[in-house]
Amino acid sequence: MRRKCRLWWPKQLLSNQESFSSVLLGWFVNCSPSSLDIIVAFTCSEVLLSSSSPVLEEVIHDTHGSMPVILQDKSMFSVLGLCITDPTSKSLMAETEDDKTSNCGNDWAEGSKNLYKVSKCGICSCLQMDGSLRKSSQSFFGKNNWVLLMFDSPEKNDAGIHRIPKLHHIHWNGQTVSNYDVHVIVYEPPSYGSHHFSLCPSVSNEQAKTPIKNPRWVDELHKNQQCIELDTVILAINCTDAAKKVFEKHVVPRRSFSQLSIFPMFFVIIGHLFSKFMASFSTVFYIVLQFFQTHFNYKSKSWMYVTSANVFRTAWINIQIRCCQILYWPIFLQENDHRSRSCVEYAEKAAMHRHSMWSTLVVDILLGNLVGWPLLYHKESICLSLLNFIHGFASFLRTGCVWLMGNPAGFKLNAELAGALGVVSLNVIQTWSTIWVFVGFIFSYIFQGLAILGILCGFTAPTALIIDMVVLATLHVSTLHWLISLVYSLQIQALAALWRLFRGRKWNPLRERLDSFDYTVKQHIVGSLLFTPLLLLLPTTSVFYIFFSIMDTTINLICILFEVTISVIHATPYIKIFLRLVRPGRFPSGIWFEIFGCESNSTVCPKADYADGMTSSKESLHPKDFNRETSSILVSILHSNYLSIGKVILPHYKNVFLGVSGSSISSVAHGILIGQRMPSMRGTLLPSLMPWMSLPYKEYWCLCHDSLIACFRR
């Protein structure tokens, strides 16, 4: 049985023109006895390793310790082996002959002579490595796991690739193995802010429906997929950038401040100035918020405070959310989990979480200024239009009540009951309209306060205050609806109970079912006397109930529209939308492979089947037959799919509308039919309230400044 070896090779190493040998660093992932994955993170020259001050064991140990715990359990960061240029290559020999007179050619020949000895048959019988490198590898891992890669002549092909590595042999657990089917997978090294890889999208937890019995080829495909540790491989690939940075921090000498270019220095200066300005601006807000919080805590037990908090409950909750966001944004912006830097995927998720709060805060304040300034400049005309609308709405209610007191739509109603309900409704409407005449004088100040609140706290705070003001302004409609719905529901319940009496049934509240019951003759007579007038008065009550239910439902729908707007503003991932438009590679959703070519001893075959049960492949060259038995190298390029903007946004909106479902809507509709009011909770969710934070002003300024400086350093 031929063994399979997958070599995950960084793309930038394909165009490397160096003729010297280099040391490979990365991970070995052994998922089965017949399959091996070699993830090459980067290469380093042996001269640089020998000249570095720390011992190689310490450098490898520190690099391995900075990786995620999951990757540490699966595989160890190690020295993989050597990558050398094939000395039997004709072009290379010609290059050496041309460079005999140069010092570079002489140095290369001398170095290659000391590095390896190759027999005439082309199979390395003994690898004479540098003693310190072999000793360091064996002492750290306890095993001599080693791989030797070779390059042919560096000739550039149609795809822009200069050379592809070939596996010469592997020293694995003390055995030398050379009989491998090699699959070279070229990948673009992930980097923070650019792209990374992910096996499957995390936007949906729903499982697709599968048939009862899968075909045989599907079961075989699932078995093949279990033979490769793709999770570990992708995690290791996402950690290559962090491993390279940690390794170079110990090995490569640091540049002095004078060696830095002008643009990074200018960027650092601008970052410091911006951080100081934003920290000072946020501290002013912090001082104002702490002053109001102290004042409200002092007045929290007064009846005026309790009444205002109950009347303006929606505005109070949203203002608390906004104040806590203003207080906590520097804390959320800090990077507390330093281990998240070791994996690009983890770093991207942590960055999205850090930047979500301040992005929502900035967008909300921008919307508040966009609406607040025009409202502030045109408050007089808006107040006049609103007063005209209120007078028109009151006139509509009075006209509707008068119409219901007559014969609405030709229905013959009970004149006495219709007159009583109509007079009560007209008196309530007139009284409330008179009160709002006096409130109209302060409308200008109310709109001015809304505009200033929107400019300072964002769009959601005045919107929530408008909801409470609409509820307060239409209190007479909701009161009349509650009164008439009470009469209507009691009438419906009485008619239902009397109907059960005629049928000889009785409701059992303990078992929640209808049981048989023998009623007396007196009970039947009393039931008959009550049933007839209640049934005849039901149309009159129903007409008034339908009218005020329509008014109250319309007002509730307007409030729901404002609440949905607030919830959407809080839930929309603005930073994700912006980054998805600019850098779609930061939102991967699965991987696929583009088959580049198949190399054998004498031919190059451009077509291949799916490689080792991987996700998919894409043919890019001319189709020809490919003989698997005679092939030695299969070369493919790793690509990534990306999430669409809709899939990025959808999970956040699903979390907002968790309480909204078909059953909840049907229950609300059923409640309206039987005389129940709409619930106050509309089903939308707001961000959770955070505890109030109290810090010294100087400490809060330093917190804001350090958080912003850390962002500029990253």
Side-chain angles (χ1 to χ4, degrees):
M1 180 179 179
R2 293 178 63 87
R3 300 183 180 181
K4 301 176 182 178
C5 177
R6 283 170 291 271
L7 178 62
W8 304 79
W9 192 257
K11 187 177 180 180
Q12 72 269 15
L13 297 181
L14 296 176
S15 58
N16 192 359
Q17 296 287 337
E18 296 180 358
S19 300
F20 299 101
S21 65
S22 56
V23 180
L24 304 175
L25 296 105
W27 296 268
F28 285 111
V29 178
N30 187 19
C31 54
S32 66
S34 62
S35 180
L36 175 65
D37 287 276
I38 303 174
I39 302 99
V40 178
F42 55 93
T43 61
C44 183
S45 64
E46 191 176 357
V47 178
L48 185 62
L49 285 179
S50 60
S51 62
S52 61
S53 56
V55 185
L56 182 60
E57 296 97 314
E58 298 178 0
V59 177
I60 298 295
H61 186 273
D62 292 342
T63 307
H64 175 72
S66 63
M67 296 296 102
V69 179
I70 301 176
L71 183 59
Q72 293 182 22
D73 296 337
K74 295 287 185 178
S75 179
M76 302 182 70
F77 183 82
S78 61
V79 177
L80 302 178
L82 287 177
C83 181
I84 61 178
T85 304
D86 190 359
T88 62
S89 175
K90 295 181 180 180
S91 61
L92 183 60
M93 295 300 293
E95 179 185 352
T96 308
E97 291 294 333
D98 295 336
D99 296 337
K100 279 183 178 180
T101 57
S102 64
N103 295 329
C104 181
N106 294 332
D107 294 340
W108 179 88
E110 185 67 24
S112 61
K113 183 178 179 181
N114 295 331
L115 282 173
Y116 55 85
K117 296 178 181 179
V118 182
S119 62
K120 294 181 180 180
C121 63
I123 299 198
C124 180
S125 58
C126 180
L127 186 65
Q128 302 294 336
M129 296 178 298
D130 182 80
S132 61
L133 190 62
R134 175 185 287 273
K135 182 180 178 181
S136 301
S137 175
Q138 291 179 356
S139 62
F140 182 70
F141 299 105
K143 296 180 180 179
N144 189 13
N145 300 331
W146 203 261
V147 59
L148 177 63
L149 300 179
M150 286 189 174
F151 280 121
D152 285 335
S153 59
E155 297 178 357
K156 189 174 181 180
N157 48 33
D158 296 336
I161 298 176
H162 292 279
R163 53 184 185 175
I164 297 174
K166 290 186 177 181
L167 180 64
H168 193 281
H169 70 268
I170 300 176
H171 293 275
W172 187 256
N173 295 333
Q175 298 180 357
T176 302
V177 183
S178 59
N179 188 15
Y180 268 94
D181 279 338
V182 182
H183 183 189
V184 179
I185 304 172
V186 181
Y187 69 91
E188 183 74 27
S191 61
Y192 176 75
S194 177
H195 79 284
H196 65 280
F197 296 100
S198 179
L199 285 179
C200 57
S202 58
V203 297
S204 177
N205 296 325
E206 299 179 0
Q207 297 181 354
K209 295 182 179 179
T210 57
I212 298 176
K213 186 176 181 180
N214 292 326
R216 184 179 299 175
W217 65 270
V218 175
D219 297 333
E220 293 178 356
L221 182 62
H222 283 292
K223 292 180 181 178
N224 290 334
Q225 289 177 348
Q226 294 175 359
C227 295
I228 177 173
E229 290 276 352
L230 266 183
D231 292 329
T232 306
V233 171
I234 297 300
L235 179 59
I237 290 176
N238 289 330
C239 296
T240 54
D241 185 66
K244 185 177 181 180
K245 290 180 179 179
V246 175
F247 188 84
E248 290 179 348
K249 183 177 66 174
H250 294 282
V251 177
V252 180
R254 297 182 179 179
R255 294 188 302 174
S256 62
F257 186 78
S258 60
Q259 293 177 332
L260 295 176
S261 60
I262 298 177
F263 181 76
M265 294 175 61
F266 179 75
F267 183 75
V268 170
I269 294 173
I270 293 298
H272 278 275
L273 294 177
F274 179 77
S275 301
K276 293 181 184 299
F277 172 75
M278 288 301 300
S280 303
F281 187 73
S282 300
T283 305
V284 172
F285 257 92
Y286 180 77
I287 295 172
V288 174
L289 292 178
Q290 294 294 341
F291 171 76
F292 280 106
Q293 176 67 14
T294 305
H295 178 73
F296 287 145
N297 287 335
Y298 178 74
K299 299 289 185 179
S300 60
K301 296 183 180 180
S302 62
W303 67 270
M304 185 177 295
Y305 176 86
V306 175
T307 304
S308 61
N310 291 329
V311 173
F312 301 100
R313 187 167 77 72
T314 307
W316 182 246
I317 292 174
N318 280 271
I319 291 175
Q320 281 184 315
I321 292 173
R322 177 61 65 235
C323 293
C324 290
Q325 288 178 346
I326 294 175
L327 293 177
Y328 277 87
W329 73 263
I331 295 178
F332 273 76
L333 200 59
Q334 285 185 329
E335 187 176 2
N336 298 322
D337 188 11
H338 297 284
R339 191 171 291 274
S340 63
R341 302 178 185 176
S342 58
C343 179
V344 178
E345 184 179 2
Y346 298 163
E348 291 285 355
K349 292 180 179 179
M352 298 299 173
H353 179 70
R354 287 198 309 270
H355 301 310
S356 60
M357 175 177 287
W358 72 261
S359 62
T360 304
L361 182 62
V362 168
V363 172
D364 195 5
I365 292 178
L366 288 178
L367 289 175
N369 283 267
L370 188 64
V371 176
W373 288 109
L375 183 63
L376 193 62
Y377 284 114
H378 301 88
K379 59 182 179 180
E380 300 296 336
S381 59
I382 295 175
C383 290
L384 183 60
S385 301
L386 185 60
L387 285 175
N388 293 332
F389 175 77
I390 291 175
H391 290 309
F393 182 68
S395 300
F396 174 77
L397 290 178
R398 284 193 292 266
T399 304
C401 291
V402 172
W403 179 64
L404 293 176
M405 292 171 66
N407 296 324
F411 288 99
K412 183 65 176 177
L413 303 180
N414 186 273
E416 288 77 10
L417 181 59
L421 294 176
V423 169
V424 172
S425 302
L426 288 173
N427 289 331
V428 172
I429 294 170
Q430 186 61 39
T431 304
W432 198 252
S433 299
T434 305
I435 295 175
W436 273 98
V437 170
F438 298 100
V439 179
F441 292 104
I442 61 173
F443 260 23
S444 177
Y445 300 101
I446 293 175
F447 276 93
Q448 187 175 358
L450 288 174
I452 295 174
L453 185 63
I455 293 171
L456 296 178
C457 296
F459 180 77
T460 55
T463 305
L465 186 58
I466 288 174
I467 294 174
D468 294 328
M469 293 178 65
V470 168
V471 173
L472 184 62
T474 58
L475 185 61
H476 59 301
V477 177
S478 60
T479 303
L480 289 173
H481 177 257
W482 171 79
L483 178 62
I484 297 176
S485 64
L486 180 62
V487 176
Y488 175 77
S489 61
L490 291 176
Q491 196 170 355
I492 290 292
Q493 293 174 9
L495 288 172
L498 293 174
W499 180 249
R500 290 195 297 267
L501 184 145
F502 298 146
R503 294 171 55 205
R505 312 281 289 179
K506 184 179 180 180
W507 176 254
N508 189 343
L510 296 178
R511 298 189 177 183
E512 295 184 354
R513 68 180 186 183
L514 291 174
D515 295 334
S516 299
F517 189 79
D518 295 331
Y519 292 96
T520 62
V521 177
K522 292 182 179 180
Q523 289 175 334
H524 279 88
I525 293 173
V526 173
S528 301
L529 294 176
L530 292 176
F531 183 80
T532 302
L534 287 176
L535 183 61
L536 295 176
L537 293 176
L538 182 61
T540 305
T541 311
S542 301
V543 168
F544 277 88
Y545 174 73
I546 292 172
F547 176 76
F548 284 102
S549 295
I550 293 174
M551 295 294 104
D552 189 67
T553 304
T554 304
I555 295 169
N556 280 323
L557 289 177
I558 294 174
C559 295
I560 288 174
L561 180 62
F562 282 116
E563 288 187 357
V564 169
T565 304
I566 293 173
S567 301
V568 167
I569 290 175
H570 281 295
T572 302
Y574 303 100
I575 191 68
K576 290 186 177 180
I577 295 174
F578 173 75
L579 293 176
R580 175 59 183 81
L581 295 174
V582 177
R583 295 287 179 86
R586 302 181 73 168
F587 300 90
S589 174
I591 59 175
W592 60 280
F593 300 88
E594 178 185 358
I595 302 300
F596 171 71
C598 313
E599 295 187 7
S600 61
N601 294 329
S602 59
T603 60
V604 178
C605 306
K607 182 180 178 182
D609 56 354
Y610 286 170
D612 303 315
M614 300 238 180
T615 311
S616 63
S617 64
K618 183 177 180 180
E619 300 169 3
S620 60
L621 301 177
H622 301 288
K624 293 182 180 179
D625 294 333
F626 167 60
N627 189 356
R628 184 76 180 183
E629 295 180 357
T630 60
S631 68
S632 60
I633 298 178
L634 172 65
V635 183
S636 62
I637 301 175
L638 180 63
H639 294 281
S640 180
N641 298 319
Y642 306 129
L643 290 174
S644 62
I645 295 181
K647 291 183 178 179
V648 172
I649 301 175
L650 186 60
H652 298 271
Y653 288 168
K654 282 185 176 180
N655 294 331
V656 171
F657 299 102
L658 285 176
V660 180
S661 61
S663 59
S664 62
I665 295 174
S666 61
S667 63
V668 170
H670 180 264
I672 292 175
L673 291 176
I674 63 175
Q676 295 179 357
R677 298 191 63 188
M678 292 183 64
S680 58
M681 295 299 293
R682 272 84 178 186
T684 57
L685 299 179
L686 294 173
S688 59
L689 290 174
M690 292 173 286
W692 193 263
M693 180 178 64
S694 296
L695 292 175
Y697 302 145
K698 185 177 181 181
E699 185 176 349
Y700 184 79
W701 187 92
C702 294
L703 182 64
C704 298
H705 180 267
D706 295 341
S707 300
L708 292 172
I709 288 295
C711 292
F712 279 96
R713 288 174 180 173
R714 287 192 291 269

